[in-house]
Amino acid sequence: MEPDSVAMMTPINRERKMGTVCIFGTGDFGRSLGMRLLQAGYGVVFGSREPKISPLVPQGSKVMTHAEAANEAQVIFVAVQREHYDFLTSLTSVLEGKVLVDVSNNLKKGLYPQSNAEYLSSLVPGAAVVKAFNTISAWALQSGGLDANRQVYVCGDQPEAKQAVVDIAHSLGLTALDRGSLRAAGEVENIPLELFPLWRLPLRIATGLTAFFFFYLLIRDVIYARVTNNKDISFRIMISLANKVFPIVSLIMLALCYLPGVIAAFLQLYNGTKYRRFPDWLDRWMLCRKQLGLLALGFAFLHVLYTLVIPIRYYVRHRIATFTISLVKENKSYEFDRTMAWRTDSYYSLGILGFGLFVLLGITSLPSVSNALNWREFRFVQSYLGHLTLLLCTAHTFLYGWDRFLYPTTYKWWTLPGYMLSLVIPCVVLVLKLILITPCVDRTVTRIRQGWERKQKIGAHANGAKSSQPLIL
């Protein structure tokens, strides 16, 4: 029987209560938690200031005054905001020996000098306060088994009280994670206030690269044409310029996904051990590789979409019509160039293959897919196929440039074209990776990862700690 299927519960199962739980507060979270507890077989009693006007509580639960409800249960969820904790001081004698679960959050970090849970503990010193369930939303509780992978962070000073809360979390199909004593409550309360913490660095990199190459290409293409030839091609900003920026940023960010792994491998070679901690900047970089890759995939998607609209652009159709008419007027024919045919077909083919593997990398990064793969399968896709994707996309860019670097007109105002700048980091990564996969180097790296250490390096890392980041090359 699914824990969230009330309709499938027989009368006998309804009578098999797992104990009674009290909830102070009849708001969205309190009602959602009460409904989930009822589905799991608990008896639920709500404590309210006005028990007679609380019609929205789940069917099968009871509504009483705070004092009456507290007498009915050993575990009490305090689902009210910190500003309304004052009523608990009048219940000090009733709450003596009870387990109070603080589920509150604040609007911003550092709003109070003391965490909500510690403040609650000071108001009711005779109760065992546990901080938990504040990272679970009302919607997550209502969705039942669909959110069984949600983690409940638990912290408190009394092991028995924490275990009671952990048991409740497990019975609801949630995963409980012990975060230590009540002093850690401030950190737990700050977790819901984080806004995409692992995405901040990748977003900054993506924004910086996009802004740099946009203005760089704007100067090279649009402003250069205006200054030197008095030609207004500003309309090309919307499609042509954007379709140059997106693939450049995508390729660089894809390379940045694999550069930290290569750097880490060379650091291990240099240190002669895997038990020496990586620098903090490298640890942070490796933590956000997934986000870098997903943003790179997003830019690649934009490049594909912008490329697909090229044939229907007014500018392109006008140029084709003008060129065709000029050939007719001059009675000339447009000869077939086999070299150009091979180049363009290879260019498109490598782009399609690279984008296909890129999408595969994005799919396997989804938790539902990656959890179905063992470590060897995941490493094969993310490492081997990932570097193959980088190689194909780099070759795609080389074919785009072809022999343009030979012509002086390519270097407008003595600046390099954008595609040449985009090749720097990918080529560095591929060359370093080529060094790492040579038999002699690969054999040494493999031995180090299996625990072998260079003797002269043993003393150097005696107090070091092994990095916790997975190293996928």
Side-chain angles (χ1 to χ4, degrees), residues 124-144:
V124 192
V129 176
V130 177
K131 186 71 184 185
F133 281 84
N134 67 303
T135 57
I136 305 295
S137 66
W139 179 87
L141 290 170
Q142 292 174 8
S143 61

Side-chain angles (χ1 to χ4, degrees), residues 102-270:
D102 179 62
V103 301
S104 65
N105 288 311
N106 297 317
L107 296 177
K108 61 181 181 180
K109 294 182 180 180
L111 189 60
Y112 300 103
Q114 192 179 31
S115 68
N116 295 347
E118 291 174 301
Y119 174 65
L120 177 61
S121 180
S122 66
L123 291 178
V124 192
V129 176
V130 177
K131 186 71 184 185
F133 281 84
N134 67 303
T135 57
I136 305 295
S137 66
W139 179 87
L141 290 170
Q142 292 174 8
S143 61
L146 296 177
D147 288 274
N149 62 336
R150 295 297 182 94
Q151 289 185 332
V152 175
Y153 297 101
V154 181
C155 63
D157 293 332
Q158 298 188 20
E160 297 82 3
K162 286 200 295 184
Q163 187 59 48
V165 178
V166 168
D167 292 340
I168 292 176
H170 288 167
S171 66
L172 299 186
L174 302 170
T175 303
L177 194 64
D178 192 341
R179 292 296 293 264
S181 67
L182 202 61
R183 295 183 62 182
E187 298 177 4
V188 175
E189 290 174 5
N190 287 336
I191 292 176
L193 302 177
E194 295 285 350
L195 184 62
F196 304 114
L198 294 179
W199 288 87
R200 292 178 183 175
L201 179 59
L203 285 172
R204 290 170 183 168
I205 294 175
T207 303
L209 289 173
T210 303
F212 171 79
F213 280 103
F214 176 80
F215 289 108
Y216 183 81
L217 295 176
L218 180 68
I219 294 172
R220 274 184 47 88
D221 295 349
V222 180
I223 297 179
Y224 177 84
R226 182 69 177 185
V227 172
T228 57
N229 301 324
N230 197 27
K231 187 177 181 181
D232 183 12
I233 58 171
S234 57
F235 64 89
R236 301 188 66 181
I237 293 176
M238 302 306 296
I239 299 294
S240 299
L241 190 64
N243 202 29
K244 288 184 178 181
V245 174
F246 293 148
I248 289 174
V249 176
S250 177
L251 180 61
I252 292 176
M253 294 191 68
L254 177 63
L256 291 177
C257 293
Y258 294 97
L259 183 56
V262 172
I263 294 175
F266 276 99
L267 283 177
Q268 289 180 338
L269 280 171
Y270 175 77

Side-chain angles (χ1 to χ4, degrees), residues 431-457:
V431 170
L432 294 178
K433 181 61 179 178
L434 181 62
I435 296 174
L436 288 174
I437 63 176
T438 55
C440 56
V441 178
D442 180 65
R443 183 165 54 251
T444 304
V445 173
T446 302
R447 290 182 63 195
I448 290 175
R449 292 175 186 169
Q450 291 176 343
W452 175 83
E453 298 181 78
R454 195 180 301 125
K455 291 183 179 180
Q456 59 268 30
K457 293 290 183 179

Side-chain angles (χ1 to χ4, degrees), residues 343 347 391-403 419 423 427 430:
R343 173 203 165 189
Y347 165 74
L391 177 62
L392 291 174
C393 293
T394 303
H396 172 71
T397 307
F398 269 111
L399 287 175
Y400 169 79
W402 196 242
D403 59 352
Y419 81 90
L423 289 170
C427 289
L430 291 174

